[in-house]
Amino acid sequence: MGSGAGELGRAERLPMLFLFLLLLFCPALCEQIRYRIPEEMPKGSVVGNLATDLGLSVQELPTRKLRVSSEKPYFTVSAERGELLVSSRLDREEICGKNPACALEFEAVAENPLNFYHVNVEIEDINDHTPTFTQNSFELQISESAQPGTRFILGSAHDADIGSNTLQNYQLNPSDHFSLINKEKSDGSKYPEMVLKTPLDREKQKSYHLTLTALDFGAPPLSSTAQIHVLVTDANDNAPVFSQDVYRVSLSENVYPGTTVLQVTATDQDEGINAKITFSFSEASQITQFDLNSNTGEITVLNTLDFEEVNEYSIVLEARDGGGMIAQCTVEVEVIDENDNAPEVIFQSLPNLIMEDAELGTHIALLKVRDKDSRHNGEVTCKLEDDVPFKILTSSRNTYKLVTDAFLDREQNPEYNITITATDRGKPPLSSSSSITLHIGDVNDNAPVFSQSSYIVYVAENNPPGASISQVSASDPDLGPNGQVSYSIVASDLEQRELSSYVSISTESGVVFAQRAFDHEQLRSFKLTLQARDQGSPALSANVSLRVLVGDRNDNAPRVLYPALGPDGSALFDMVPRAAEPGYLVTKVVAVDADSGHNAWLSYHVLQASEPGLFSLGLRTGEVRTERALGDRDAARQRLLVAVRDGGQPPLSATVTLHLVFADSLQEVLPDITDRPVPSDPQAELQFYLVVALALISVLFLLAMILAIALR
């Protein structure tokens, strides 16, 4: 059988090659691959090279993973050469029954990328069934008064094959007194009728033994025989006669058991026992769906009818009179289909995961719709329930593809519950739904996002090195490495070589650490550019600015600029005219503080005075003025101890001692000066020059302002 299948395959290759070339120019047909093979091929037989017919090379097979998607495993695909192989028994009669055309349709699935191909394998009948009679022998009673030409329906044989392989002819041997006529029913099946050729004489011969042979036209032909025992009875002149030779009736498949199908009638011209008619099925063992009242001829439904199993019954009835004469008629029962089967949705080739960057129109799944009903009751339409980013495309008869109809976003919808409803066109229509869950796979399509658009952090100076000064946070809605964020410093307004000595950042937590103690007087603020990067491929990142403001602490005491201090820590003398009026500006204490804000607000205080009440000191200005005129009892030399305090908490201070001399000329105090030599102090001289320059600039500015006012 294998070699015959190979020769048949080669014989079919030429028209299939022509069909393949034609398909190149017919896009509407090029999706279906067709093969033709005989039934009962051994397991492992080659149907055809599916990979070659699909245009796939042997090198592509490991990655494309070509396979068969079918409800029943009739076929499989060779992983090495891509050949379509028979994997289970192919019995055409079991698969298709008496249908003249028998084909198995299934889908071939190739992955990477996912695609579906429609394959049609036509199963050819072989002569593997012998015509078989329901009984090995039949008994037939014929009255000796039967006239030549009288016909008798004999038991028929059944052959599961089709075409020339099915039952084609009957033969009768011997045929001296009888001849045989081959008759055909409305469903195409053959049955024999025996015709009486010559009158019978019971006194000469009481019985006849005949052999009925049923033959098919297969190669080789098969046949079977049944024995017919003809008993010749005494004359019963009139056989029963049915009112019709053929009765036809239509029944809905959903009628209840006990429903009357019809009532046949027969008459007999004889009288008495010869006219008493009883009805029976000619082949009672074959009739399981109907019941017959032998007295009335009423046929009723015995068991539930199912159009999907049998859609037509051909029943032979016999009417037998009391004399043993028989008449036959045929009852043709047509079963009308009702919409009693809801359609089914069957998913095939479902993916485990759909990546969220799938393009529009990407094939997701293959599904089939099946409805056992026929005609409009079996015509099915499918639709998707709810608003989902998918759609259904018709692939072939009762086959659909589920494809993407919009862009997917796992961060918005990590999965979809897909419900597909199939509805037939019956009245009323029936429908069923099938649901699946599609999981969306993550791709790195989201960059990290900081919780703030920018960050400002305040750090007081003299902070401990290594302390945390801030923390930034970025989120990434992706999964796994695509959502794992690490932090780094990518830019700064500090010197690059100094950056690492000032700050660092934890790559995992985003905590910013101070690497050293900050000094407000050296660095008031600096700016960092931080980056959050995920671990995807390629990686995505986002930047944010972090401004660090270094706050001031009161860590610098005031420093006296004027008057310049001598080696002993006291200032040089200032001369005051003896006739100075109250309010006379004697001198001014000038001090600075390196801190800022309140920490740099200075105030001036007299700690000790030789003559209290003689001088006053400006709290904020540091100006020393005479509070009253010099008295006769007041000493010419006065000493003031001045403290300069800042506004910090706690405050810091510095002191200076002022020597004030009341004299009208320098000669009055020179002897005292010479008695106390003062070493030169370069720093004091520099401060003196600075004060003089400041005074000159102030005078020039005042003159300019007066001139401007005068011109206006």
Side-chain angles (χ1 to χ4, degrees):
M1 184 177 294
S3 61
E7 292 175 0
L8 182 59
R10 287 191 293 272
E12 294 298 327
R13 288 294 168 86
L14 291 177
M16 287 183 67
L17 178 59
F18 174 75
L19 178 61
F20 179 76
L21 294 175
L22 180 62
L23 292 179
L24 294 177
F25 302 97
C26 300
L29 299 176
C30 64
E31 286 191 354
Q32 197 165 51
I33 307 298
R34 295 181 180 273
Y35 299 99
R36 179 182 295 173
I37 60 172
E39 65 173 328
E40 302 293 351
M41 288 185 70
K43 293 183 181 179
S45 299
V46 177
V47 178
N49 196 307
L50 182 59
T52 301
D53 295 337
L54 294 177
L56 302 177
S57 65
V58 176
Q59 292 76 15
E60 291 180 278
L61 292 179
T63 57
R64 294 305 301 274
K65 297 181 180 178
L66 186 63
R67 58 185 174 83
V68 169
S69 175
S70 176
E71 296 180 27
K72 295 184 178 180
Y74 289 115
F75 302 97
T76 186
V77 178
S78 169
E80 293 78 17
R81 291 179 289 183
E83 294 175 330
L84 186 63
L85 306 177
V86 176
S87 61
S88 63
R89 183 189 176 197
L90 298 176
D91 187 349
R92 193 207 63 79
E93 288 73 27
E94 179 181 344
I95 296 173
C96 299
K98 280 288 188 179
N99 290 335
C102 182
L104 293 174
E105 294 185 353
F106 54 91
E107 309 298 324
V109 181
E111 300 180 359
N112 303 319
L114 179 65
N115 209 337
F116 311 104
Y117 306 92
H118 307 289
V119 182
N120 180 296
V121 179
E122 183 177 351
I123 310 300
E124 294 182 336
D125 182 53
I126 63 173
N127 193 22
D128 59 341
H129 290 85
T130 302
T132 304
F133 288 94
T134 58
Q135 299 175 220
N136 293 328
S137 63
F138 300 90
E139 182 175 303
L140 187 62
Q141 294 182 359
I142 302 177
S143 174
E144 61 180 333
S145 63
Q147 298 298 316
T150 303
R151 298 187 177 189
F152 305 93
I153 298 177
L154 303 179
S156 59
H158 300 275
D159 192 338
D161 295 321
I162 63 170
S164 62
N165 294 327
T166 193
L167 189 149
Q168 299 290 333
N169 194 14
Y170 292 91
Q171 295 178 356
L172 186 66
N173 290 305
S175 59
D176 296 334
H177 293 278
F178 305 94
S179 63
L180 194 68
I181 299 177
N182 288 282
K183 302 296 289 287
E184 185 172 335
K185 296 181 182 179
S186 60
D187 61 355
S189 61
K190 306 274 193 313
Y191 68 94
E193 278 192 359
M194 188 176 69
V195 181
L196 181 63
K197 293 168 57 177
T198 60
L200 302 176
D201 188 349
R202 180 179 174 277
E203 283 67 24
K204 291 183 178 181
Q205 188 172 351
K206 294 182 179 180
S207 64
Y208 297 86
H209 294 278
L210 308 176
T211 300
L212 179 64
T213 304
L215 305 94
D216 62 24
F217 287 171
L222 301 176
S223 64
S224 65
T225 61
Q227 302 301 316
I228 300 177
H229 187 205
V230 178
L231 298 177
V232 181
T233 63
D234 284 338
N236 181 18
D237 298 333
N238 296 284
V241 178
F242 279 100
S243 61
Q244 296 176 219
D245 290 334
V246 179
Y247 293 85
R248 291 183 175 86
V249 65
S250 297
L251 284 178
S252 173
E253 64 173 326
N254 60 2
V255 296
Y256 294 104
T259 301
T260 299
V261 179
L262 81 162
Q263 185 174 10
V264 298
T265 59
T267 59
D268 194 314
Q269 298 298 325
D270 295 323
E271 293 182 354
I273 191 66
N274 290 330
K276 183 175 176 59
I277 299 174
T278 58
F279 300 93
S280 64
F281 291 122
S282 176
E283 299 178 4
S285 62
Q286 300 296 313
I287 308 302
T288 59
Q289 300 299 119
F290 303 98
D291 186 34
L292 174 63
N293 188 313
S294 60
N295 295 321
T296 64
E298 182 183 27
I299 302 174
T300 57
V301 177
L302 182 61
N303 295 310
T304 304
L305 304 179
D306 191 347
F307 173 86
E308 287 70 41
E309 292 185 2
V310 180
N311 57 20
E312 187 177 21
Y313 295 90
S314 181
I315 306 171
V316 178
L317 297 184
E318 292 182 348
R320 184 187 298 268
D321 63 19
M325 298 191 70
I326 296 174
Q328 293 181 328
C329 71
T330 302
V331 177
E332 302 287 347
V333 180
E334 179 189 8
V335 181
I336 300 174
D337 182 44
E338 296 291 338
N339 193 24
D340 57 345
N341 291 281
E344 298 178 77
V345 178
I346 303 170
F347 284 94
Q348 296 180 331
S349 187
L350 281 174
N352 294 327
L353 207 62
I354 305 169
M355 302 310 295
E356 62 178 324
D357 61 348
E359 297 180 356
L360 295 180
T362 299
H363 292 179
I364 301 302
L366 179 70
L367 57 101
K368 288 187 176 182
V369 178
R370 181 172 58 190
D371 195 318
K372 295 180 180 179
D373 296 319
S374 62
R375 299 179 183 176
H376 60 274
N377 293 331
E379 296 176 3
V380 181
T381 57
C382 285
K383 69 174 182 177
L384 276 170
E385 301 294 339
D386 303 324
D387 185 16
V388 293
F390 303 95
K391 66 180 179 180
I392 296 177
L393 299 178
T394 302
S395 178
S396 62
R397 183 173 59 87
N398 295 334
T399 304
Y400 299 86
K401 294 177 182 178
L402 181 66
V403 301
T404 55
D405 191 37
F407 292 106
L408 305 177
D409 188 348
R410 188 207 63 81
E411 287 70 41
Q412 293 185 3
N413 289 293
E415 65 181 26
Y416 291 92
N417 291 320
I418 305 297
T419 300
I420 297 178
T421 300
T423 306
D424 61 28
R425 295 180 58 191
K427 292 183 180 180
L430 298 179
S431 62
S432 67
S433 298
S434 183
S435 299
I436 59 171
T437 299
L438 297 179
H439 298 278
I440 309 302
D442 182 58
V443 297
N444 193 24
D445 57 346
N446 290 279
V449 177
F450 281 96
S451 58
Q452 298 178 210
S453 59
S454 62
Y455 293 84
I456 297 178
V457 60
Y458 296 90
V459 181
E461 64 176 335
N462 302 324
N463 55 287
S468 168
I469 61 173
S470 180
Q471 182 176 16
V472 297
S473 175
S475 60
D476 193 321
D478 293 323
L479 290 179
N482 296 334
Q484 293 179 0
V485 179
S486 61
Y487 303 90
S488 61
I489 302 174
V490 295
S492 173
D493 55 4
L494 297 172
E495 290 286 342
Q496 186 63 34
R497 63 176 181 271
E498 297 179 355
L499 176 61
S500 60
S501 65
Y502 273 87
V503 290
S504 65
I505 188 170
S506 171
T507 58
E508 296 180 356
S509 64
V511 176
V512 181
F513 297 96
Q515 296 297 102
R516 63 189 296 178
F518 299 147
D519 188 349
H520 174 79
E521 288 72 41
Q522 293 182 4
L523 182 65
R524 299 289 179 92
S525 67
F526 58 92
K527 181 179 179 183
L528 303 175
T529 300
L530 307 181
Q531 184 179 85
R533 176 184 290 267
D534 59 30
Q535 306 301 314
S537 179
L540 301 178
S541 62
N543 294 345
V544 71
S545 65
L546 172 66
R547 188 168 188 83
V548 180
L549 301 179
V550 181
D552 182 53
R553 291 181 183 272
N554 192 26
D555 59 345
N556 289 279
R559 186 165 61 91
V560 178
L561 298 180
Y562 183 85
L565 301 179
D568 59 351
S570 61
L572 300 176
F573 73 93
D574 286 289
M575 189 173 64
V576 184
R578 291 183 179 274
E581 298 292 331
Y584 176 80
L585 178 60
V586 177
T587 186
K588 182 176 182 180
V589 179
V590 178
V592 295
D593 195 314
D595 295 321
S596 61
H598 288 280
N599 296 330
W601 289 3
L602 302 180
S603 62
Y604 300 87
H605 308 273
V606 177
L607 296 181
Q608 186 178 6
S610 302
E611 188 65 42
L614 182 59
F615 299 97
S616 64
L617 179 64
L619 179 65
R620 296 299 178 186
T621 62
E623 293 178 347
V624 179
R625 296 179 181 270
T626 57
E627 185 70 19
R628 58 180 177 80
L630 182 66
D632 294 336
R633 294 184 179 182
D634 294 326
R637 296 180 60 85
Q638 296 290 330
R639 177 177 171 273
L640 289 178
L641 179 60
V642 176
V644 182
R645 295 193 185 96
D646 58 25
Q649 292 295 329
L652 299 178
S653 62
T655 60
V656 62
T657 301
L658 302 181
H659 296 279
L660 306 178
V661 178
F662 285 89
D664 293 327
S665 64
L666 186 59
Q667 286 76 11
E668 295 182 25
V669 296
L670 282 178
D672 186 64
I673 295 175
T674 56
D675 294 339
R676 294 171 49 194
V678 178
S680 62
D681 185 5
Q683 182 66 27
E685 293 178 1
L686 178 60
Q687 292 177 355
F688 175 77
Y689 294 143
L690 289 175
V691 172
V692 172
L694 181 61
L696 290 175
I697 292 172
S698 300
V699 171
L700 291 175
F701 177 78
L702 182 60
L703 291 175
M705 291 296 295
I706 294 173
L707 181 60
I709 294 172
L711 291 176
R712 291 175 61 89

